[in-house]
């Protein structure tokens, strides 16, 4: 589904260049559950942002089903992302002035005929993430785990081919985190490809494939099946 070829990202630290990602190549197969782990500063967020099309690499390509996503214009890239990728930011990024319903519906506003059946779609997805009763609440009335569920619901409302998430259990207690991992697993069982950044051992154990980053290099790859 995604083919990463010789990917590098150079940043500057006090005027000196360094590689946050150093010549990575790997493949994400459709239907797989992949977890990227590694120490703080190893390049995980940088990699996810490049795979999601939010940040351009210095070198290398990201081929998403034959499409070289970093060669698209910004407008085309954003349309491509909207149709294919669901993205969960580490900090939830919910819009505080909007209710749960309005936050989850937001991606549909940018689609032709997006509002058709929007209410049913939001209700169905809230049922799946397990907080149907919160539909009319505002984010500040939710717990961290509930906000994370809303962020995930918003990311999957358009049924993307792949769900990308940056530390989706990072701010959650152990039990709430387990609920999120189970939710990802069930989305995966229904056919969604999952790519998550996490150092949560339970995510690492659940994943089919583990990519470990160390100082911007791919250190080891553990594959559970296939
Ligand atoms: N825009 C930027 N400009 C300069 N350096 C950056 C930029 N973004 C990230 N970096 C640096 O690149 C390296 C990798 O950062 P990244 O955020 O990808 O790490 P991470 O693995 O996600 O860390 P964490 O686990 O703490 O979230 C770090 O040294 C960071 O300081
Ligand atoms: Mg990070």
């Amino acid at each position: 589904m995604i083919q990463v070829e010789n990917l590098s990202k150079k940043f500057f630290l006090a005027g000196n260049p360094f590689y946050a990602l150093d010549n990575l190549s790997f493949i994400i197969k459709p239907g797989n559950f992949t977890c990227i782990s590694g120490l703080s500063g190893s390049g995980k967020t940088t990699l996810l942002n490049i795979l999601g099309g939010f940040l351009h690499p210095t070198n290398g390509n990201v081929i998403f089903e034959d499409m070289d996503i970093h060669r698209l214009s910004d407008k085309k890239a954003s349309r491509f992302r909207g149709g294919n990728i669901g993205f969960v930011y580490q900090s939830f990024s919910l819009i505080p002035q909007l209710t749960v319903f309005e936050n989850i519906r937001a991606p549909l506003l940018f689609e032709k005929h997006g509002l058709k059946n929007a209410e049913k779609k939001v209700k169905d997805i809230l049922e799946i993430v397990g907080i149907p009763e919160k539909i009319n609440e505002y984010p500040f009335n939710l717990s961290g785990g509930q906000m994370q569920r809303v962020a995930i619901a918003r990311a999957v409302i358009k049924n993307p081919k792949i769900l990308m998430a940056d530390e989706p259990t990072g701010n959650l207690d152990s039990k709430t985190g387990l609920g999120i991992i189970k939710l990802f697993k069930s989305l995966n069982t229904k056919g969604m490809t999952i790519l998550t950044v996490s150092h949560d051992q339970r995510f690492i154990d659940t994943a089919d494939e583990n990519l470990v980053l160390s100082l911007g290099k791919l250190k080891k790859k553990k594959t559970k099946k296939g």
Side-chain angles (χ1 to χ4, degrees):
M1 170 175 256
I2 301 182
Q3 195 173 344
V4 176
E5 298 168 336
N6 306 109
L7 194 74
S8 298
K9 181 68 186 178
K10 182 164 67 177
F11 286 128
F12 288 87
L13 183 65
N16 300 310
F18 77 98
Y19 280 90
L21 298 175
D22 190 359
N23 202 24
L24 308 182
S25 298
F26 60 91
I27 286 176
I28 292 171
K29 293 187 203 132
N32 251 29
F33 192 133
T34 305
C35 182
I36 302 170
S37 56
L39 295 179
S40 178
S42 57
K44 306 181 296 295
T45 296
T46 304
L47 176 58
L48 200 69
N49 286 340
I50 291 176
L51 297 184
F54 298 106
L55 182 70
H56 287 305
T58 307
N59 286 306
N61 305 309
V62 177
I63 315 288
F64 193 120
E65 293 181 341
D66 298 333
M67 181 91 82
D68 190 337
I69 62 169
H70 291 287
R71 299 203 193 282
L72 299 173
S73 66
D74 284 354
K75 198 172 162 194
K76 280 194 178 145
S78 131
R79 197 178 311 146
F80 174 81
R81 221 176 13 242
N84 292 288
I85 301 172
F87 206 92
V88 181
Y89 302 88
Q90 189 161 7
S91 52
F92 314 139
S93 297
L94 300 179
I95 302 167
Q97 296 86 350
L98 301 184
T99 64
V100 165
F101 173 75
E102 292 161 340
N103 264 286
I104 298 172
R105 187 190 56 179
L108 300 175
L109 298 178
F110 305 101
E111 278 212 322
K112 224 183 188 176
H113 312 302
L115 293 183
K116 209 175 149 197
N117 301 326
E119 191 168 341
K120 180 170 181 336
K121 282 186 198 161
V122 172
K123 283 182 173 163
D124 287 352
I125 204 81
L126 271 173
E127 205 68 54
I128 291 171
V129 301
I131 46 167
E133 72 284 4
K134 300 291 181 189
I135 187 160
N136 293 316
E137 288 291 351
Y138 285 88
F140 58 80
N141 286 330
L142 302 178
S143 71
Q146 290 163 347
M147 284 194 244
Q148 189 62 287
R149 281 164 195 273
V150 176
I152 293 165
R154 182 181 56 185
V156 300
I157 185 82
K158 285 163 73 177
N159 197 26
K161 291 181 184 162
I162 183 163
L163 174 63
M164 298 185 181
D166 197 351
E167 301 274 9
T169 61
N171 303 310
L172 308 178
D173 65 72
S174 162
K175 184 163 169 264
T176 314
L178 185 62
I180 299 291
I181 294 167
K182 285 184 175 160
L183 172 60
F184 274 44
K185 188 66 203 166
S186 86
L187 290 167
N188 181 236
T189 307
K190 287 180 195 142
M192 199 175 287
T193 306
I194 306 281
L195 177 61
T196 181
V197 163
S198 183
H199 53 251
D200 190 323
Q201 189 59 41
R202 299 169 302 180
F203 251 129
I204 293 170
D205 293 341
T206 303
D208 303 317
E209 190 127 24
N210 277 287
L211 304 176
V212 183
L213 277 177
S214 174
L215 293 174
K217 287 193 163 67
L218 208 51
K219 205 171 146 204
K220 52 181 171 170
K221 233 171 89 168
K222 281 183 286 176
T223 308
K224 207 200 285 185
K225 64 179 185 196

